[in-house]
């Protein structure tokens, strides 16, 4: 049975994908029905190749090999003033440096130097638009199935206790497993509670 919350998130992830892949749609630029959790999942599942840098968010999108800048430079992200600007706007005359108001710690300085090296090694191509790829799909294209299964990565499935009775085992073993699953066995920790 599908998880309705995750199914809804799967369908909402299609909006930012279409904003990237079909920017001529009439609703692009308006407020879309997704939240920060949806966008975090979207950004974790996509990889952006920089072209002219106009569609890519400098701080939020995954355009570097290490992922979004706000994730691997969190101390610098906290002090940045213009967090929603594109890569193209931040690269123009090194505007990203102006958005960082005074560095106060060595960690911020180290993160600043990391970003400096990244910006210095990244070159914008004004004739090529930014491209995006869905990393959990073999074709690099969003699909509802891959977005749905992405949300279950690293999670454990629930154990169906009724399957205990389907096992090819002695009845006493199945009864023991059933009692253990339902915490009905008098183990040492449960006996300690009784005394």
């Amino acid at each position: 049975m599908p998880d309705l919350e995750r199914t809804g998130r799967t369908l909402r992830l299609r909006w930012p994908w279409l904003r990237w892949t079909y920017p001529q749609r009439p609703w692009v630029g308006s407020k879309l029905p997704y939240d920060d959790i949806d966008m975090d999942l979207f950004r974790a599942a996509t990889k952006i190749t920089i072209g002219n840098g106009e569609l890519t968010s400098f701080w939020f999108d995954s355009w570097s090999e290490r992922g979004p800048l706000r994730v691997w430079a969190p101390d610098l992200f906290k002090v940045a003033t213009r967090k929603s600007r594109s890569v193209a706007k931040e690269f123009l005359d090194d505007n990203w440096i102006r958005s960082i108001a005074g560095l106060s710690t060595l960690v911020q300085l180290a993160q600043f130097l990391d970003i400096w090296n990244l910006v210095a090694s990244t070159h914008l191509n004004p004739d090529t638009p930014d491209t995006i790829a869905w990393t959990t799909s073999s074709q690099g294209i969003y699909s509802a199935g891959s977005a749905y299964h992405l949300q279950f990565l690293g999670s454990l499935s629930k154990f169906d206790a009724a399957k205990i009775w389907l096992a090819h085992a002695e009845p006493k073993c199945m009864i023991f497993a059933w009692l253990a699953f339902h915490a009905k066995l008098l183990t040492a920790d449960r006996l300690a509670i009784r005394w």
Side-chain angles (χ1 to χ4, degrees):
M1 180 164 200
D3 183 322
L4 291 179
E5 180 183 350
R6 290 185 169 124
T7 301
R9 179 163 292 123
T10 297
L11 298 175
R12 287 191 304 270
L13 289 178
R14 188 160 181 78
W15 288 97
W17 177 260
L18 291 173
R19 183 181 63 85
W20 264 94
T21 54
Y22 299 106
Q24 68 276 12
R25 295 214 178 204
W27 47 261
V28 170
S30 61
K31 177 92 171 104
L32 296 176
Y34 50 76
D35 58 14
D36 291 338
I37 296 171
D38 298 336
M39 286 309 296
D40 287 342
L41 182 62
F42 178 79
R43 289 176 174 132
T46 55
K47 175 67 177 134
I48 296 171
T49 304
I50 294 290
N52 56 19
E54 291 177 5
L55 288 176
T56 307
S57 171
F58 183 78
W59 287 103
F60 293 99
D61 286 335
S62 182
W63 59 274
S64 75
E65 292 299 321
R66 294 170 60 183
L69 298 186
R70 74 178 178 101
V71 173
W72 60 269
D75 294 323
L76 213 53
F77 176 74
K78 287 178 188 173
V79 298
T81 56
R82 298 177 303 221
K83 297 177 180 169
S84 61
R85 294 183 75 179
S86 69
V87 169
K89 287 182 180 175
E90 292 294 58
F91 274 38
L92 183 67
D93 298 326
D94 289 327
N95 281 331
W96 70 276
I97 297 172
R98 291 183 191 90
S99 72
I100 302 168
L103 304 176
S104 58
T105 66
L106 289 175
V107 173
Q108 289 175 346
L109 180 60
Q111 291 173 359
F112 175 82
L113 293 174
D114 285 344
I115 294 176
W116 180 281
N117 289 331
L118 173 67
V119 169
S121 65
T122 304
H123 302 288
L124 300 181
N125 185 354
D127 301 328
T128 308
D130 299 339
T131 57
I132 191 167
W134 190 261
T135 58
T136 60
S137 157
S138 59
Q139 298 87 16
I141 298 171
Y142 168 87
S143 70
S146 66
Y148 183 75
H149 293 297
L150 169 70
Q151 297 175 70
F152 291 98
L153 288 178
S155 65
L156 299 174
S157 61
K158 292 182 178 179
F159 180 71
D160 184 11
K163 292 188 178 185
I164 292 173
W165 304 113
L166 301 175
H168 296 289
E170 294 283 329
K172 62 182 179 183
C173 295
M174 291 188 287
I175 291 170
F176 181 82
W178 179 263
L179 292 172
F181 181 76
H182 291 289
K184 300 294 182 187
L185 294 176
L186 291 178
T187 55
D189 57 336
R190 294 182 56 84
L191 285 171
I193 294 171
R194 281 188 166 192
W195 299 103

